[in-house]
Amino acid sequence: MANSPVTTSEDSSGLMAKAIKEGLFAGLLALGMFLLYVGIETYQNIDNKLVWRTRWGLLAIFVIASAVGRFLVVGFIRPHIDQRKLANAKAGIPEVSDHKSFFQTHFLKIALVALVLYPPMAVMLNGVQGSLKFVDNFGIQILIYVMLAWGLNVVVGLAGLLDLGYVAFYAVGAYSYALLSDQFGLSFWILLPLAGILAAFWGIILGFPVLRLRGDYLAIVTLAFGEIIRLVLMNWTEVTGGTAGISGIAKASVFGIYSFDVGASNNFAKAFGLPMSSAYYKIFLFYVILGLCMLTAYVTMKLRRMPIGRAWEALREDEIACRSLGIDTVKTKLTAFAIGAMFGGFAGSFFAARQGFVSPESFVFLESAVILAVVVLGGMGSLIGIAVAAIVMVGGTELLREMEFLKHVFGDDFTPELYRMLIFGLAMVVVMLFKPRGFVGSREPTAFLKERKAVSGSFTKEGHG
Amino acid sequence: MTSGTQTMNQDTILNVEHLSMRFGGLMAINDLSFQVKRGDITALIGPNGAGKTTVFNCITGFYKPTMGMITMSQRGGDKFLLERLSDFDITKQAKVARTFQNIRLFGGLTVLENLLVAQHNKLMKASGYTVMGLLGLGSYKREAEAAIETARQWLERADLIDRADDPAGDLSYGAQRRLEIARAMCTGPELLCLDEPAAGLNPKESLALNVLLNGIRDETGTSILLIEHDMSVVMEISDHVVVLEYGQKICDGTPDHVKNDPKVIAAYLGVEDDEVEEIIHEELDGSAQ
């Protein structure tokens, strides 16, 4: 933006006036927006009556923050950025550079090493018991979402089929493990692939009726499918235990060699002479889900380079052209649904083994929406982008639980995790404003003649159902 | 009707008989019969709304015709009734490929990937329907390289080799047209149906298109059926022309024959009322014979 104000002496006073004006306006806007949301709080008093009180202090913080923020952006940050861009352009430094730093080229290896070293680091820094929070709440929780989002990515990101009921396959996987291990005493390692197969089967079942639907219609039917599965789980009390769910689900074992059951003779901690702690199980689970994520990523990357993966992406770009090239779009769609559902099933059975308890409450529509949001924020089709989005969105909301210091700012009855969804939504809006194609908007071509050039997001389509 | 009523022989690749297509009350095609000869470039022309694209959609399975029979005879002697096959099977089994009036490329895939998607069925088989390929078994790797080689040849022929790794959506209009033809050829068709391949091309690009189409016919032996408005293309390259008006065939023959047919001239240029009457009389006389 060469024509935006460059801070010469006569311009700067005008710029300050503009900054102050915009800052005041932003403050006014924030006052209008937050007056009712933040300024007034409703709560139930001891007689169970709804009463309200004002929080002018908090409102003032919101308004001042937005006014000062806008003032700084207009007055200082933006001119600074413009100036730097102008200087770069004058010096002939291109804005988009082909040069990749060491970190960028080896990003995947560095990330994998960091993930493998994560649990030992957590144990070293916080002790065995203290590591529980980091390994379980952050590590496993985020990785489950990474895996779910990577699974959904096959359906939404590659094949361009908008699936709002993905959590149904997660539920199928979880209940498959819970029920089959409960009834037949089968081990986690047998039931994991079985849960994947069952979920894939349900993916095909869902796929058949929706094959002819596109766009909004497809989204509605998949949404309904997700709800049907949840309602069945809720009401088929004899089998699923209804709303009470299934508890006491068997833990996973180290391939049957070591068990994590406290009473078992081959208990992991006993066998290695370690003090009893539930942390070992979580650390073990961390590596299991890490392995599952790696499997998902490997299969997805491999499939993209296969004819079926290319057909998925072609389907997203133009279904009619696909048919004119002799591609059976019915089979192509079904495989996308099945593969996506299979990964959801894996994640589900892992979830059941981790929690030891499943109930329909874990599989509400909100979960589907969060997984879909992670896929969209990450950049449809990009594995790295989706992983980053999962870390930011899921890790970020988990982080809210840790923000005890906010209580000192906003008062003792302030519970940050209640603002989880508000912040989640805000973060989505911000990301979509600045990165409308998600964190990683470009796509890597699956084959090349001379050089591998990333395809800009402005050429790819989102799919039409 | 002169050359159109030849008896069906070994040389006919596509035989359209009594084709009718009705949309509600509209008879888009009415009892249309024509033949496409093997190794020929056959042009389907006619004023706007004559039903040319509808004929194409019937041949390539995007519409199911109300009536009629479309027979595709392959080199090996296999015959396919196209009106009974679904659209993708027409490309896969009967080996009829097509392009679209409004270009339908995979804009977010690279030029090379577009051509690889076109070789889907061949690669799918080579990869053991993905399973073998995923495990690294079988002939997938070799076939994938062969597919890239095929794509490279077509890119060279379509003069797109320098753009191979760019997204297809980034190409200019003329290049997109050529890419769509190259992509259709990558499916290995015996009959190539082109819906207005020269639309929106400048004279130089039109000329390049003529060279490309002649090359396809002469070097691969693929028969071509094309819809075209650009008479310079039609008269230059086609061996046989079928003229449609209001869903009916009004003329059928060599370019020179068609050019001089009064009914064709009337359909394209419009004529005085008394001349129309004259033609109608002629037609009545003709059909009475």
Side-chain angles (χ1 to χ4, degrees):
Chain A
M1 280 191 254
N3 61 347
S4 61
V6 180
T7 43
T8 55
S9 56
E10 64 250 60
D11 270 350
S12 62
S13 63
L15 182 70
M16 277 306 123
K18 190 179 167 219
I20 290 168
K21 206 166 74 183
E22 292 214 8
L24 285 176
F25 183 68
L28 204 67
L29 214 63
L31 179 69
M33 273 177 69
F34 292 118
L35 183 62
L36 292 177
Y37 290 120
V38 179
I40 292 165
E41 186 196 17
T42 56
Y43 64 101
Q44 281 174 332
N45 70 2
I46 207 148
D47 302 324
N48 243 356
K49 275 185 192 151
L50 198 65
V51 290
W52 61 284
R53 62 176 168 218
T54 54
R55 292 190 289 190
W56 300 132
L58 190 60
L59 179 64
I61 292 173
F62 271 71
V63 171
I64 289 168
S66 41
V68 170
R70 183 72 191 165
F71 172 75
L72 288 178
V73 165
V74 174
F76 299 98
I77 298 173
R78 210 192 275 160
H80 176 71
I81 292 173
D82 286 345
Q83 231 167 11
R84 212 175 49 188
K85 265 191 190 166
L86 196 67
N88 277 350
K90 272 182 186 157
I93 301 166
E95 276 186 40
V96 188
S97 139
D98 288 335
H99 178 73
K100 283 182 176 171
S101 66
F102 173 81
F103 182 72
Q104 276 172 314
T105 43
H106 298 276
F107 177 76
L108 283 179
K109 283 171 212 155
I110 294 170
L112 191 62
V113 170
L115 279 170
V116 170
L117 293 180
Y118 177 72
M121 290 297 283
V123 171
M124 264 163 56
L125 292 174
N126 299 287
V128 175
Q129 206 58 34
S131 73
L132 206 58
K133 185 177 79 186
F134 291 97
V135 174
D136 193 26
N137 290 8
F138 288 98
I140 296 178
Q141 186 73 10
I142 291 171
L143 285 176
I144 286 181
Y145 276 95
V146 168
M147 176 155 182
L148 284 170
W150 280 353
L152 183 62
N153 173 50
V154 171
V155 185
V156 178
L158 295 184
L161 304 160
L162 185 54
D163 184 352
L164 291 182
Y166 189 66
V167 82
F169 308 121
Y170 188 37
V172 168
Y175 272 84
S176 302
Y177 176 61
L179 289 170
L180 292 174
S181 85
D182 206 33
Q183 301 290 323
F184 302 106
L186 296 172
S187 88
F188 175 75
W189 295 104
I190 294 170
L191 289 176
L192 180 73
L194 204 60
I197 291 167
L198 282 170
F201 171 71
W202 279 100
I204 294 171
I205 298 259
L206 165 68
F208 263 113
V210 303
L211 281 172
R212 292 179 185 284
L213 303 176
R214 303 172 130 215
D216 309 352
Y217 304 99
L218 177 77
I220 291 167
V221 175
T222 53
L223 171 67
F225 178 79
E227 288 301 286
I228 289 169
I229 293 273
R230 190 175 65 87
L231 288 174
V232 167
L233 293 176
M234 221 154 115
N235 292 298
W236 197 6
T237 321
E238 312 87 87
V239 176
T240 64
T243 41
I246 301 167
S247 52
I249 300 167
K251 286 176 174 170
S253 65
V254 189
F255 305 105
I257 303 166
Y258 300 111
S259 159
F260 290 98
D261 291 326
V262 181
S265 56
N266 58 347
N267 181 285
F268 184 82
K270 264 189 220 161
F272 288 89
L274 297 163
M276 276 295 177
S277 163
S278 61
Y280 303 122
Y281 184 49
K282 299 295 181 192
I283 291 171
F284 168 68
L285 285 181
F286 179 88
Y287 287 115
V288 172
I289 187 73
L290 185 60
L292 285 172
C293 282
M294 289 303 110
L295 177 80
T296 313
Y298 177 77
V299 171
T300 311
M301 287 196 292
K302 199 92 187 182
L303 282 178
R304 271 197 70 211
R305 283 171 175 71
M306 307 274 294
I308 186 72
R310 287 204 197 101
W312 287 340
E313 290 199 80
L315 193 68
R316 177 191 68 203
E317 298 289 321
D318 194 327
E319 188 177 340
I320 290 177
C322 272
R323 301 178 75 83
S324 84
L325 296 174
I327 295 172
D328 187 344
T329 51
V330 168
K331 278 186 201 145
T332 308
K333 280 184 189 177
L334 283 182
T335 50
F337 267 117
I339 301 272
M342 184 182 78
F343 291 131
F346 287 158
S349 69
F350 174 84
F351 173 80
R354 172 211 184 197
Q355 302 291 90
F357 167 72
V358 287
S359 82
E361 218 155 280
S362 309
F363 309 108
V364 290
F365 169 66
L366 188 66
E367 289 295 312
S368 286
V370 168
I371 300 163
L372 185 66
V374 168
V375 174
V376 173
L377 284 180
M380 300 215 286
S382 158
L383 294 182
I384 293 176
I386 288 169
V388 171
I391 292 169
V392 171
M393 303 310 282
V394 181
T397 49
E398 285 296 319
L399 210 58
L400 278 177
R401 292 185 213 280
E402 307 299 316
M403 297 200 169
E404 287 299 313
F405 68 89
L406 287 177
K407 287 201 170 155
H408 302 298
V409 181
F410 296 113
D412 273 344
D413 54 351
F414 182 81
T415 35
E417 56 261 38
L418 292 184
Y419 289 79
R420 189 172 155 248
M421 276 298 134
L422 183 73
I423 292 170
F424 195 97
L426 201 68
M428 274 194 72
V429 171
V430 170
V431 173
M432 286 293 119
L433 272 178
F434 291 100
K435 288 246 167 196
R437 288 274 168 169
F439 287 132
V440 180
S442 59
R443 76 174 273 278
E444 282 284 307
T446 60
F448 61 97
L449 269 191
K450 294 192 191 74
E451 54 169 332
R452 191 181 288 280
K453 292 188 249 184
V455 176
S456 155
S458 50
F459 292 113
T460 52
K461 297 192 179 65
E462 295 92 353
H464 33 64
Chain B
M1 314 223 167
T2 48
S3 54
T5 47
Q6 281 170 356
T7 50
M8 185 168 168
N9 55 31
Q10 193 55 47
D11 270 8
T12 305
I13 185 165
L14 185 79
N15 191 19
V16 178
E17 292 164 282
H18 306 292
L19 181 71
S20 292
M21 182 75 208
R22 180 192 284 280
F23 296 107
L26 176 77
M27 207 67 174
I29 308 170
N30 194 0
D31 197 24
L32 174 72
S33 301
F34 68 93
Q35 294 175 339
V36 177
K37 296 270 171 289
R38 192 181 308 281
D40 266 8
I41 296 182
T42 306
L44 196 58
I45 64 169
N48 286 333
K52 304 181 295 288
T53 299
T54 310
V55 173
F56 256 48
N57 283 340
C58 287
I59 292 172
T60 52
F62 283 83
Y63 292 156
K64 287 275 159 262
T66 319
M67 261 189 290
M69 194 159 95
I70 308 167
T71 319
M72 167 80 193
S73 320
Q74 283 181 1
R75 245 171 247 151
D78 291 338
K79 284 192 177 7
F80 294 89
L81 292 177
L82 299 188
E83 77 278 4
R84 294 189 189 169
L85 289 177
S86 54
D87 45 12
F88 66 88
D89 273 333
I90 285 177
T91 309
K92 192 176 167 184
Q93 297 175 12
K95 302 210 173 296
V96 178
R98 73 167 293 178
T99 65
F100 295 87
Q101 198 169 348
N102 45 344
I103 305 172
R104 286 185 172 274
L105 288 172
F106 306 121
L109 308 189
T110 65
V111 170
L112 179 69
E113 283 177 302
N114 267 271
L115 299 189
L116 292 179
V117 171
Q119 303 177 56
H120 177 80
N121 289 315
K122 194 174 73 186
L123 290 174
M124 207 58 183
K125 207 174 272 173
S127 68
Y129 297 92
T130 309
V131 181
M132 303 276 277
L134 208 54
L135 301 172
L137 301 169
S139 59
Y140 176 63
K141 215 171 171 185
R142 203 174 55 237
E143 282 293 323
E145 275 161 21
I148 290 180
E149 182 55 31
T150 309
R152 205 177 58 76
Q153 283 171 10
W154 278 108
L155 287 177
E156 266 168 11
R157 201 176 285 215
D159 196 19
L160 290 166
I161 193 76
D162 296 332
R163 305 297 306 271
D165 298 319
D166 290 327
D170 200 19
L171 297 181
S172 69
Y173 193 79
Q176 290 196 4
R177 283 266 177 224
R178 291 202 303 280
L179 175 59
E180 209 190 10
I181 294 170
R183 189 181 67 177
M185 284 309 295
C186 276
T187 64
E190 290 198 13
L191 176 66
L192 178 65
C193 300
L194 305 171
D195 198 343
E196 299 204 21
L201 300 190
N202 64 35
K204 199 177 148 205
E205 286 171 325
S206 267
L207 211 65
L209 179 77
N210 288 356
V211 173
L212 176 64
L213 295 186
N214 273 322
I216 286 174
R217 181 191 54 178
D218 296 339
E219 285 159 42
T220 69
T222 309
S223 318
I224 298 175
L225 175 65
L226 57 89
I227 293 178
E228 195 44 76
H229 276 298
D230 188 339
M231 285 304 150
S232 71
V233 173
V234 171
M235 297 304 160
E236 184 75 24
I237 66 170
S238 50
D239 305 299
H240 185 92
V241 180
V242 178
V243 191
L244 288 187
E245 195 188 15
Y246 298 117
Q248 280 172 313
K249 185 167 81 176
I250 57 171
C251 187
D252 187 346
T254 61
D256 279 330
H257 170 81
V258 166
K259 214 165 17 182
N260 300 317
D261 189 304
K263 275 185 285 185
V264 177
I265 296 167
Y268 267 91
L269 300 176
V271 283
E272 303 294 329
D273 284 349
D274 51 335
E275 271 186 67
V276 172
E277 246 165 63
E278 209 172 287
I279 289 163
I280 289 169
H281 279 300
E282 256 175 46
E283 203 168 51
L284 288 175
D285 295 345
S287 57
Q289 276 166 10

